[in-house]
Amino acid sequence: LKINKETALSTYNAEKSQAIERRYLLQKELMHALDRREFLLYYQPQYDTRNREITGIEVLLRWNHPTLGIISPAEFIPIAEETGLIIEIGKWSMKEACRQLRSWQESKCPHLNLSMNLSVKQFYQPDLVSMVSSVLEENRIVPDHFELEFTESLSMHNSDSFLKTIKDLKAIKIGLSIDDFGTGYSSLSYLTQLPLDKIKIDRSFVQKMLSSKQDEIVIKSIIGLAENLGLQMIAEGVECEKQAEFLVKHGCYHMQGFHFSRPLPEDQMTQMLNSHYIS
Ligand code: C2E
Ligand code: CA
Ligand code: CA
Ligand code: CA
């Protein structure tokens, strides 16, 4: 097979300019998405496999654009971060999610927990803590029922303002989880410095753990680490019974993933809660 350099290059350039164009379009459209009420929240239940109870719900943002369709947060969150729009979008999501949590707590599940993803950019907002606490207060939500998930980034490690924000969030008794654990810049000393409550074992480990001895060792080590540090843990991206069994065998009982439920729109989540016993 002869590779034609010129064709390859022009294909590459065409793809690249298409990607740039798409990004530009999304950036432009994202500026109006809040005003046009194009965002919605999906909810994915988290389970305790020991009693099959729903212990919490993770909030996942969706952008439903009238002509482009549903756009994945993996695509638009980075753009929202770059443009700074993430601050307003994050605020909107938090208000919306807390309003929803309040309604679920009042109707059926007084002890339901909700967890939300927080972008690094939001950590550097000086009014983050006061914003969060006022949204919780407005909805009369006890902070122990509210959790924030964040992924590690290198910039956090040497930042005093990040550390202060984390401590202030802890001071008002909000749960703090490290998301995608094992994929970031995790340094163990750093783990012990932060007032963390939980680690979320990244989906990539869950997906690989049954296929190789090495990945089995990695997952066992993460579980051991969480146990030794006295942290709660939850595995994400659990897609089959085999994975669930394996995790239970090694001492990880909390899980979320397609095997239990996909992320659901509000009405379906409500239905599920109505038909489910919650402690
Ligand atoms: P994440 O926080 O790691 O969220 C988990 C992602 O895995 C979600 O994708 C979820 O739909 C998907 N997932 C859940 N169970 C399974 C499974 O069993 N198998 C597989 N293959 N996937 C599963 P989603 O909703 O597309 O979100 C992607 C990422 O976008 C999230 O990753 C999070 O980093 C970010 N994100 C979502 N909502 C928000 C938000 O409100 N704020 C911020 N800052 N980021 C968000
Ligand atoms: Ca998450
Ligand atoms: Ca995750
Ligand atoms: Ca992720």
Side-chain angles (χ1 to χ4, degrees):
L1 190 78
K2 227 176 153 191
I3 295 167
N4 183 330
K5 215 172 171 183
E6 257 161 51
T7 327
L9 193 64
S10 74
T11 311
Y12 172 79
N13 283 334
E15 277 169 8
K16 204 167 164 191
S17 79
Q18 254 176 28
I20 292 170
E21 208 126 302
R22 163 99 177 163
R23 204 179 164 84
Y24 178 69
L25 175 67
L26 293 188
Q27 203 173 315
K28 207 169 56 140
E29 292 299 298
L30 200 55
M31 286 174 38
H32 310 287
L34 263 183
D35 290 342
R36 295 176 181 160
R37 301 169 171 273
E38 291 169 1
F39 290 111
L40 67 165
L41 301 180
Y42 269 51
Y43 302 91
Q44 188 178 36
Q46 304 173 323
Y47 289 83
D48 183 340
T49 48
R50 286 168 295 193
N51 49 20
R52 291 235 145 204
E53 276 178 23
I54 295 175
T55 53
I57 292 176
E58 179 176 3
V59 181
L60 294 159
L61 189 58
R62 295 288 176 266
W63 178 14
N64 188 7
H65 186 277
T67 56
L68 301 168
I70 299 252
I71 300 157
S72 153
E75 192 177 8
F76 74 79
I77 295 280
I79 301 173
E81 287 174 336
E82 224 167 73
T83 53
L85 289 165
I86 191 68
I87 302 303
E88 284 310 309
I89 297 172
K91 214 177 273 184
W92 175 85
S93 316
M94 199 155 305
K95 286 185 182 162
E96 188 64 16
C98 287
R99 190 193 51 73
Q100 185 59 60
L101 177 61
R102 181 68 212 162
S103 141
W104 283 329
Q105 285 185 341
E106 268 174 358
S107 61
K108 169 89 180 174
C109 326
H111 303 296
L112 188 66
N113 298 309
L114 200 73
S115 82
M116 296 202 74
N117 295 286
L118 209 64
S119 153
V120 191
K121 284 271 151 64
Q122 290 173 277
F123 272 105
Y124 293 106
Q125 267 312 96
D127 68 344
L128 175 72
V129 183
S130 65
M131 188 271 283
V132 175
S133 66
S134 73
V135 173
L136 292 179
E137 224 164 87
E138 274 161 32
N139 292 286
R140 284 164 288 126
I141 288 166
V142 184
D144 327 326
H145 292 141
F146 191 74
E147 191 180 293
L148 292 171
E149 302 182 3
F150 61 96
T151 51
E152 285 187 85
S153 79
L154 211 49
S155 70
M156 293 172 171
H157 285 224
N158 295 309
S159 162
D160 291 339
S161 70
F162 168 74
L163 202 65
K164 183 176 184 313
T165 302
I166 284 283
K167 286 181 175 157
D168 290 348
L169 287 169
K170 193 70 250 171
I172 58 172
K173 298 200 164 65
I174 284 171
L176 297 172
S177 313
I178 290 230
D179 205 354
D180 304 342
F181 184 77
T183 61
Y185 302 89
S186 323
S187 86
L188 298 183
S189 63
Y190 177 74
L191 254 192
T192 58
Q193 277 166 30
L194 295 178
L196 295 174
D197 300 287
K198 192 184 285 181
I199 61 179
K200 295 194 79 173
I201 302 173
D202 191 64
R203 174 166 95 221
S204 62
F205 297 114
V206 173
Q207 260 148 18
K208 290 183 295 189
M209 70 190 177
L210 296 176
S211 55
S212 89
K213 194 72 199 166
Q214 262 114 326
D215 289 307
E216 182 180 334
I217 292 169
V218 171
I219 208 115
K220 282 199 235 169
S221 310
I222 295 177
I223 293 171
L225 183 69
E227 278 170 351
N228 289 327
L229 291 175
L231 297 171
Q232 300 164 42
M233 66 188 123
I234 180 165
E236 62 175 18
V238 178
E239 292 181 351
C240 66
E241 185 59 36
K242 273 217 170 86
Q243 292 168 339
E245 277 169 7
F246 184 88
L247 288 161
V248 164
K249 191 174 107 193
H250 293 292
C252 177
Y253 306 106
H254 291 269
M255 299 176 203
Q256 72 183 95
F258 296 169
H259 177 55
F260 300 95
S261 168
R262 292 194 169 250
L264 303 170
E266 177 197 316
D267 55 334
Q268 286 180 37
M269 190 66 238
T270 302
Q271 260 178 18
M272 179 180 276
L273 288 173
N274 284 338
S275 62
H276 207 93
Y277 175 75
I278 310 281
S279 64

